[in-house]
Amino acid sequence: MKCFAAVALLGGLSLCTCPQALALSVHGFLEGAAGARLTDSPTQPKDATLGEGRLQVELSQEGPADSRLFFKADLVGDGVEERGDADLREFYLDVSPAQVLDIRAGRQILTWGTGDLVFINDLFPKDFVSFFIGRSLEYLKVGSDAVKLSLYPGPFSLDLVAVPHFTPSEIPKGERLSFFNPFTNRIAVPGESLSMRKPAATPENTELALRLYRTFGSYEGALYGFRGFFKEPVGMDPAGGTLFYPGLSVYGTSVQGPLLGGVAGFEFGYYDSREDRPGRNPLIENPSLRYLVGYERELRTDFTVRAQYYLEQMLEYGAYKASLPPGAPEKKEVRHLLFLRLTRLLRYQTVELSFVGFYGPSDEDGMVNPQASCKITDRMSVALGANVFFGNEESTQFGQLEKDDNLYLRLRTNY
Amino acid sequence: MAKTRVVWLSAVIALFLPIGGLFSRALAGTPGGAEEIMRRSALVQFYSGNDMRAKVTMRLLSKEGGERVRELIMTRRNVKAGGDQKYFILFRQPADVRDMTFLVWKYPQRDSDRWLYIPAIKLVKRIAANDKRSSFVGSDFSYEDVSGRAAEEDNHTLLREEKYEGKELFVVKSIPKDEKSADFGYKVSWIDKGNFVLWKEEYYDKRGALFKVFTADEVKPIQGFPTTVKRTMKNVQTGHWSEAAYGEVKYNLGLADGVFSERSLRNPPKELAR
C-alpha cells in the first residue's frame, strides 16, 4: 500500500511536464547505522541492536495558490530483523483556503509543548525504541494520519487536529529491547510477546487535539486540550492476556519566555483517565497531574545547558493501593524525573558533543546518552554514541532496559 | 520615465553629498562625535529601508583549503529605526539544514528572542542564546556582525581621518563598556565620511592582539541605499575566513509585522522565501 502510494505519486509528478510547472524539489539521504550491545542480555540473543541501511526520498511539489504536496519515505534494509521495509514517514497536502486558515491533511508529524524529550500535552505518537537504540532524533517522531486546521484570527492562533486513525507509540516489546511483562511480573523471555489491542477505527474514536496560543511580548502562552487514548498500552485485559490503550482526555497549559539570560518554560497537564476515574481499577492507569519545569541557557559561547524537572502525581492513590492485587509491583504516588542536556559545539559548529541524562529519584532509574557527531563535509556526517540504562527494579521505565546498553554509529550522506 | 528618475536621483545625491561632507566634518569636531559616527554607521549597515530581503551566500574557508557553503534568505524589518528589529532566515544549504527557519526579535537593550524551526521533526524550538558572540551558522561572522551591535555598548574615540583608495574615512576606536559583552578587547573601524559605510574593521582580543578583520569588498547603491553586497571576515589567528555575498537585495518590501511569527516559521510565506 505504502509502495503503491509512492509509485503513484512519483508517476503523477513525472507526468506533470507543463512549461509553467511549479517547483518540484527532490532531496534525501543515504544512511548506514550499526549498534551493538555493551553487555550480555539473558533475554536478548542477538548482539546487534541496530544494523540498517536507509534511503530517504523527500519530494515537495508546489501547487497553485500556496498549496504544496509533500512526500517523505524511507526504504530500509534491516539486518537485525533481517527484512526490507518501506516506511511512509510523511505524505500530506497543504492548502490555505483563506488568509487566516492553513490546512494540512495526510500523514504528518505533529508536535507541540515546551519539553525536551519529555511530553505532557504532546499526545502524538513517538518511537521510543528508535531513540533508545540510537537512530537519529527525527525517528523519535511518528507520523499521524490526520487533518490539522491552523487558524490565525489575529490576537491568538489555534491548531485543531483530528486523527481518525489511531497510531500508538513504539515502546520496547522484546524485539531489540527488553520489556517488563505486567502479567507475569518479570522481564519477558525470548519469543514471549504481548498482544496490544488498538481502539477500533470508528468515528467516535477519532482523536481530537487542540492548541490555543499567543505571545505576550517575549512570553508565549498556550492552552491545550486532547480527547483520545493513551499512546502507550497502560491498560491490562487479563481475560484476553492483552494490553490496550485506555481512553484519555488531557487539559493543559504552558508558558515559556526569557529568564536570567536563558529561556524558562512551565507546562502542566491534567490526565483524565476516562476508563478509571475513581482509580479503583488497578489494571488501568489512574488519572494524574503532570508538571514540567525547564530551563535552558548558553553558559558560554557554543555551550548550552538544559535542565528539566518533571513530576507526575497519581490521583486517587488510596483507591489504587487498596485495589492492588498482592504481589503486583506498586507504583509510587509521585514520580519525579530529572533531565539534563549539555551541548558543546566545536570547530566552527561542525563537531557537536552532547550528553543527555535522565534520572528518576522516585523509581531510582535512568539513562545516559553521550554522543559525538561531526559534519565531515557539507553533505556527509557521522555520529557515535551510547545509551546506558540503569535501575533497581525491572518494572520501571528505564530499569527494564538495564541489560540493553548499546553503542551506535551512524554515517549519513545527504543529496 | 526611468531616465527622469535617474536624473532626479542624481540631483538629490549631488545636493546631499557636499552637505553630508560638511556635516561629517562638523561631527568629527564635536565631543561625542565618534559615537554619532558609529551610530550613523550602524543605521546604514543594519537599518536601511523599513525592511530588506537578501539571498546570502557564505563560503567558509579554512587555511587547509576546506570549503563549506551556506545559503540562506534573510529578511529583516525595522520595528523602530535604530531600535527593535525582526529577522527571518530561511536556510537553503547545506542539505542538513535545508528548509530550517529561524526567527529573531532583536532588542538593542536586552537579549533577543529566538526561535528555530526544525522541519525533520516539525518542531519550533525556543532558543536560549544570550550570547551575541556565537558564530552565525558556523562562519567567522558572529550574530552581532550580522545584525549589529548597539553603538551605546562601547566608548568611542575618533583616532584620525585618513584617505584610503580615494575614500575619505573616519578611523574610530571602540572599547566595550562592559568587557564581558564582547569577544574583542577593542575594535578599530574605518567609516566612509560621505555615506557612513563601514569599509573595514579590526578586532583586537583582550590581550591586544589582532584576531579578526572585516572588509567590505563591494558596496553598491540599491534603491538609493549604499549596500555592502560582498564582505569578508577573516580570523587572522586561525587563518579561517568567511565570505558573504548578498544577492537579490530589495528594500521597502512593505512587509507586515505579523509575518515574523510562528506561522511563518512552519510555513514560510512567499515574501520571505524568495
Side-chain angles (χ1 to χ4, degrees):
Chain A
M1 178 61 203
K2 290 170 185 171
C3 289
F4 174 74
V7 169
L9 179 72
L10 279 168
L13 292 172
S14 60
L15 284 174
C16 179
T17 52
C18 41
Q20 291 89 16
L22 292 151
L24 166 73
S25 75
V26 183
H27 294 279
F29 61 76
L30 191 65
E31 184 177 73
R37 289 179 188 285
L38 291 171
T39 49
D40 283 336
S41 164
T43 59
Q44 294 288 331
K46 285 185 181 166
D47 283 335
T49 45
L50 184 62
E52 62 197 26
R54 211 173 256 278
L55 170 70
Q56 181 168 95
V57 180
E58 181 190 307
L59 303 172
S60 176
Q61 170 74 56
E62 284 181 24
D66 285 345
S67 63
R68 189 166 77 120
L69 190 61
F70 186 85
F71 169 90
K72 189 193 268 187
D74 286 8
L75 286 173
V76 192
D78 190 326
V80 177
E81 291 178 20
E82 293 172 20
R83 66 193 183 98
D85 194 11
D87 178 11
L88 183 62
R89 301 274 308 153
E90 294 170 72
F91 187 19
Y92 58 76
L93 178 69
D94 276 341
V95 286
S96 298
Q99 188 127 37
V100 297
L101 173 66
D102 292 340
I103 301 176
R104 175 167 292 177
R107 181 166 297 181
Q108 53 190 298
I109 286 170
L110 293 157
T111 186
W112 57 45
T114 63
D116 180 354
L117 300 175
V118 177
F119 309 98
I120 293 180
N121 290 295
D122 173 350
L123 288 138
F124 305 109
K126 310 281 178 290
D127 180 352
F128 293 105
V129 175
S130 283
F131 176 67
F132 291 147
I133 62 176
R135 284 197 186 109
S136 132
L137 187 66
E138 65 184 275
Y139 293 100
L140 173 66
K141 311 275 175 167
V142 179
S144 304
D145 296 323
V147 176
K148 181 170 100 163
L149 305 183
S150 298
L151 281 146
Y152 304 94
F156 58 88
S157 307
L158 176 68
D159 284 336
L160 280 169
V161 179
V163 188
H165 178 78
F166 176 85
T167 307
S169 286
E170 281 295 319
I171 54 160
K173 278 186 271 197
E175 282 149 10
R176 296 170 199 248
L177 301 171
S178 316
F179 76 99
F180 180 80
N181 185 334
F183 291 107
T184 57
N185 282 333
R186 55 163 174 72
I187 298 281
V189 296
E192 181 179 336
S193 68
L194 277 176
S195 64
M196 320 247 176
R197 192 177 69 231
K198 285 194 222 174
T202 57
E204 62 271 21
N205 279 352
T206 293
E207 292 186 300
L208 298 171
L210 166 161
R211 175 175 68 133
L212 183 72
Y213 63 102
R214 65 160 295 175
T215 52
F216 302 89
S218 293
Y219 297 86
E220 299 161 79
L223 296 173
Y224 307 88
F226 173 80
R227 187 187 160 84
F229 301 89
F230 279 96
K231 288 288 162 304
E232 290 158 43
V234 292
M236 288 166 69
D237 175 4
T242 57
L243 296 178
F244 66 99
Y245 305 88
L248 172 71
S249 297
V250 178
Y251 310 94
T253 184
S254 73
V255 287
Q256 188 166 231
L259 182 76
L260 304 170
V263 168
F266 169 76
E267 190 168 341
F268 162 78
Y270 163 56
Y271 273 48
D272 173 16
S273 181
R274 295 197 308 269
E275 294 173 46
D276 187 25
R277 280 191 179 126
R280 285 192 291 268
N281 185 348
L283 302 174
I284 295 179
E285 179 104 343
N286 274 27
S288 59
L289 299 176
R290 301 181 182 204
Y291 307 85
L292 176 72
V293 183
Y295 183 67
E296 182 167 328
R297 188 171 168 170
E298 191 173 17
L299 275 192
R300 59 194 168 91
T301 304
D302 289 334
F303 178 59
T304 306
V305 175
R306 180 175 181 87
Q308 295 182 149
Y309 172 65
Y310 169 80
L311 188 152
E312 187 179 313
Q313 185 193 2
M314 190 193 289
L315 297 176
E316 312 297 346
Y317 187 69
Y320 162 79
K321 254 185 105 165
S323 63
L324 201 65
E330 183 186 315
K331 288 184 200 159
K332 298 211 167 67
E333 182 177 3
V334 175
R335 182 174 167 237
H336 311 263
L337 195 58
L338 298 165
F339 170 92
L340 181 70
R341 180 192 287 277
L342 308 174
T343 312
R344 177 89 174 103
L345 299 174
L346 299 162
R347 293 180 172 264
Y348 289 89
Q349 301 177 359
T350 56
V351 173
E352 181 183 305
L353 304 178
S354 74
F355 170 90
V356 171
F358 282 98
Y359 175 62
S362 43
D363 287 349
E364 294 181 322
D365 68 342
M367 74 170 284
V368 293
N369 166 224
Q371 181 179 288
S373 61
C374 173
K375 294 174 186 170
I376 304 164
T377 66
D378 274 345
R379 287 189 180 280
M380 199 184 289
S381 61
V382 61
L384 174 69
N387 291 298
V388 177
F389 308 92
F390 54 91
N392 292 335
E393 305 282 339
E394 288 181 338
S395 63
T396 61
Q397 186 187 2
F398 299 112
Q400 66 180 337
L401 304 171
E402 216 225 327
K403 298 275 191 271
D404 289 321
D405 298 348
N406 60 76
L407 187 73
Y408 60 86
L409 176 72
R410 299 190 306 260
L411 185 66
R412 179 183 287 200
T413 307
N414 293 286
Y415 65 87
Chain B
M1 178 65 196
K3 206 174 168 186
T4 15
R5 191 176 295 168
V6 171
V7 171
W8 187 84
L9 256 178
S10 343
V12 171
I13 291 167
L15 209 87
F16 275 89
L17 270 180
I19 296 176
L22 281 177
F23 180 60
S24 58
R25 249 184 298 274
L27 270 181
T30 54
E35 183 166 334
E36 186 56 26
I37 291 166
M38 293 307 283
R39 208 193 315 274
R40 291 196 48 147
S41 177
L43 283 177
V44 169
Q45 304 302 314
F46 304 108
Y47 286 92
S48 289
N50 298 322
D51 55 35
M52 180 266 241
R53 186 185 60 215
K55 190 173 127 186
V56 181
T57 309
M58 281 195 185
R59 291 171 66 217
L60 323 182
L61 301 136
S62 72
K63 199 169 54 179
E64 296 77 26
E67 177 177 337
R68 290 171 196 262
V69 176
R70 306 279 174 269
E71 192 185 302
L72 50 101
I73 293 168
M74 182 164 84
T75 314
R76 82 161 149 72
R77 183 178 185 277
N78 301 341
V79 179
K80 188 172 159 257
D84 297 356
Q85 285 181 312
K86 293 184 177 176
Y87 281 79
F88 185 90
I89 291 169
L90 167 69
F91 292 96
R92 285 282 188 77
Q93 270 194 66
D96 63 330
V97 297
R98 188 177 40 82
D99 292 340
M100 267 193 198
T101 50
F102 185 47
L103 175 66
V104 181
W105 293 1
K106 188 189 152 215
Y107 317 100
Q109 307 305 333
R110 60 184 171 96
D111 293 338
S112 330
D113 297 319
R114 298 181 188 178
W115 293 265
L116 181 71
Y117 172 67
I118 306 164
I121 46 175
K122 304 285 187 273
L123 176 75
V124 171
K125 187 180 182 319
R126 183 80 183 241
I127 307 190
N130 55 334
D131 197 339
K132 295 173 277 190
R133 296 164 292 176
S134 318
S135 153
F136 178 72
V137 300
S139 74
D140 295 279
F141 295 96
S142 66
Y143 277 92
E144 204 167 70
D145 299 329
V146 174
S147 68
R149 176 177 170 85
E152 295 75 27
E153 287 194 66
D154 306 322
N155 288 314
H156 309 279
T157 323
L158 180 66
L159 292 180
R160 59 186 181 272
E161 297 173 31
E162 68 179 36
K163 254 194 171 153
Y164 175 74
E165 292 182 356
K167 294 182 278 280
E168 299 268 347
L169 303 171
F170 291 122
V171 185
V172 177
K173 180 177 176 180
S174 309
I175 303 171
K177 288 176 185 168
D178 173 10
E179 198 183 306
K180 280 182 276 179
S181 77
D183 59 349
F184 56 86
Y186 70 94
K187 63 174 180 173
V188 180
S189 315
W190 280 259
I191 290 161
D192 200 301
K193 283 170 134 183
N195 57 16
F196 292 91
V197 163
L198 175 71
W199 285 100
K200 185 180 170 188
E201 204 155 48
E202 288 180 348
Y203 300 83
Y204 293 83
D205 65 19
K206 313 237 160 160
R207 292 163 311 174
L210 179 67
F211 81 104
K212 252 169 58 162
V213 179
F214 167 90
T215 46
D217 308 315
E218 189 185 341
V219 178
K220 63 179 186 188
I222 295 174
Q223 293 173 257
F225 301 106
T227 307
T228 307
V229 293
K230 276 191 187 155
R231 61 189 73 190
T232 302
M233 184 70 85
K234 177 154 191 172
N235 186 321
V236 295
Q237 293 182 356
T238 62
H240 194 282
W241 80 100
S242 304
E243 299 172 358
Y246 284 49
E248 298 166 31
V249 179
K250 265 197 174 159
Y251 292 98
N252 293 332
L253 298 142
L255 296 172
D257 194 56
V259 304
F260 294 82
S261 65
E262 177 171 337
R263 182 188 194 180
S264 298
L265 278 171
R266 290 178 181 273
N267 197 2
K270 291 217 160 51
E271 61 256 50
L272 300 181
R274 62 171 59 146

